[in-house]
Amino acid sequence: MGRPAKFSQDQILDAALAIVAGSGPGTATMAAIAARLGGPTGSLYHRFGSRDLLIATLWLRTVRRFQDGFISALADAGAEAAALHVPRWCRAHPAEAALLLLHRREDLAARWPAELGHDLDRCDARVAAALNDFAARSGVDPERLAFAVVDVPYGAVRRHLLGRRSPPPSVDELIVSACRAVLT
């Protein structure tokens, strides 16, 4: 029987996130992550197999967490709530927001691990399904909906995050105004 794991998967991913958010993806080596945890590099390789797999797993975890809130807001409270989820999530999760906005998945993992390909497809599909379902139920044009709840909020938070600043609360009002204008 093997030894119990000293660090959980989330602890490892949180250490990688801190490094990526602080210094960029290139600095998130297995050695740097192990040093941040205070553990051996070998245990990271045993758990993940490669740096690409670890970083891709971090990216997917972050995307899923964001999407869970976005999909829930859209289903429970509608388009404006989904649009507002973006700046609010960015303020509540600045490191994760920086990871998703400042680093494309292709920049994080030199080779997207094949074992995560289906997970990536499912992430993309579940947001598309939620948007299509809402559009069908509400009679809103799907393109207008995507623009109002995806493109507008992304554009509203992007310049703030690029400047390593949290989106100010005033952005929320602008997003709601734009969302209403696009959807009416």
Side-chain angles (χ1 to χ4, degrees):
M1 188 159 117
R3 292 186 323 212
K6 185 175 178 182
F7 302 103
S8 70
Q9 178 169 312
D10 279 333
Q11 288 174 309
I12 295 168
L13 295 177
D14 290 343
L17 174 63
I19 293 168
V20 171
S23 306
T27 61
T29 64
M30 293 297 245
I33 296 165
R36 185 165 183 97
L37 285 168
T41 306
S43 65
L44 297 181
Y45 281 108
H46 177 73
R47 181 76 67 83
F48 288 97
S50 73
R51 177 199 176 275
D52 283 344
L53 181 58
L54 190 154
I55 298 299
T57 301
L58 168 63
W59 193 87
L60 278 171
R61 180 188 77 167
T62 305
V63 166
R64 279 191 200 107
R65 288 178 175 179
F66 170 79
Q67 288 178 346
D68 287 345
F70 178 84
I71 291 168
S72 177
L74 184 63
D76 297 342
E80 288 179 21
L84 285 173
H85 174 71
V86 176
R88 291 175 177 168
W89 188 85
C90 290
R91 286 192 286 271
H93 307 280
E96 291 90 340
L99 174 74
L100 294 182
L101 181 78
L102 302 177
H103 308 292
R104 297 176 315 140
R105 71 169 192 235
E106 295 85 4
D107 298 334
L108 294 169
R111 179 193 59 80
W112 191 262
E115 57 265 47
L116 295 180
H118 294 297
D119 291 345
L120 182 61
D121 294 341
R122 280 193 290 273
C123 280
D124 294 343
R126 65 187 212 137
V127 170
L131 289 169
N132 289 334
D133 181 58
F134 183 85
R137 283 183 298 134
S138 62
V140 174
D141 175 66
E143 282 298 313
R144 293 180 77 80
L145 177 64
F147 184 80
V149 302
V150 176
D151 298 334
V152 167
Y154 173 78
V157 302
R158 186 173 189 277
R159 73 180 161 94
H160 300 286
L161 295 176
L162 286 172
R164 302 280 184 180
R165 297 180 314 273
S166 182
S170 60
V171 165
D172 295 15
E173 180 184 333
L174 297 171
I175 289 172
V176 169
S177 296
C179 186
R180 288 178 182 162
V182 169
L183 295 178
T184 56

